[in-house]
Amino acid sequence: MPDTLTPACAATRDWVEGFVVAHNVCPFARRELVAESIRFVEVSAAQWEPALQALVVECRRLDASAAIETTLLVLRSGLEDFDDYLDFLAVAEALLVEQGYEGTYQLASFHPDYCFDGAEQDDPANFTNRSPWPMLHLLREAGLEHALTHYPDPEAIPERNIERMRQLGSERLAAELAALRPPRRD
């Protein structure tokens, strides 16, 4: 998108390109990155209400602009603890339903300490959802459905990603993620 990116958003864009696309974690990310149809927005999450309002504003922006396929809300300050982030995510998902966006948009979740339920913290598979900062990925359901219908064996994507992350190993993945995140300013 033509907007000037904050340092956190620029680092997030670098993560999308240098990690997500480079490791093909999302086989659809490259197309959207090249098309510049990903919007990057930095939001303070120190107080939940304004952060949740920003989520609704981004839904409305997607409603109004077909040129934006997806938005990454970079949640700066306030959700560093993964459990707090999960609580916030649950409220955000409920808000999308309350606002009538169920079936229109969905949220994908990313956090620096992401850990799948039942997984060990050091399992490399967790890196499929680890990011420089806590974030919400707001996706158009229609765009996702379209992409999945034109991708061979989309059900295999998660298993392929897990296998790839485990091949690379936690140490290498942690170093790659750390290199993409500039020093904290808060």
Side-chain angles (χ1 to χ4, degrees):
M1 303 308 317
D3 298 333
T4 301
L5 297 178
T6 66
C9 287
T12 300
R13 188 189 186 291
D14 289 346
W15 166 76
V16 170
E17 185 172 10
F19 191 87
V20 175
V21 170
H23 293 303
N24 201 28
V25 175
C26 174
F28 318 112
R30 179 183 310 276
R31 180 186 68 226
E32 302 310 330
L33 198 61
V34 169
E36 294 187 6
S37 61
I38 304 172
R39 181 170 155 77
F40 299 89
V41 180
E42 182 174 347
V43 176
S44 171
Q47 295 180 353
W48 286 18
E49 188 173 332
L52 292 166
Q53 288 172 348
L55 174 62
V56 173
V57 166
E58 288 306 315
C59 288
R60 291 179 182 146
R61 185 179 310 272
L62 287 170
D63 289 344
S65 178
I68 304 169
E69 182 60 34
T70 188
T71 298
L72 284 168
L73 283 147
V74 180
L75 303 168
R76 298 281 287 144
S77 68
L79 295 173
E80 293 80 9
D81 180 81
F82 185 57
D83 289 331
D84 291 344
Y85 170 81
L86 290 176
D87 292 343
F88 179 83
L89 174 63
V91 172
E93 288 173 334
L95 180 62
L96 287 184
V97 172
E98 176 187 297
Q99 294 292 311
Y101 286 116
E102 184 176 31
T104 303
Y105 303 118
Q106 70 172 257
L107 292 176
S109 57
F110 297 92
H111 191 278
D113 297 323
Y114 201 97
C115 186
F116 288 104
D117 190 33
E120 295 294 323
Q121 183 68 28
D122 63 349
D123 185 341
N126 294 317
F127 280 89
T128 63
N129 287 65
R130 287 195 180 163
S131 57
W133 286 279
M135 67 178 73
L136 297 177
H137 184 186
L138 188 58
L139 297 134
R140 292 180 187 273
E141 289 268 353
L144 185 58
E145 288 171 13
H146 177 76
L148 291 174
T149 61
H150 294 89
Y151 187 82
D153 197 16
E155 295 81 17
I157 294 171
E159 287 303 317
R160 186 204 69 223
N161 285 341
I162 289 169
E163 181 180 326
R164 176 73 174 136
M165 296 299 108
R166 288 182 176 155
Q167 287 172 352
L168 294 171
S170 289
E171 190 173 305
R172 174 179 171 180
L173 294 167
E176 286 183 25
L177 189 59
L180 291 168
R181 182 176 173 164
R184 291 177 63 124
R185 65 180 163 101
D186 50 22

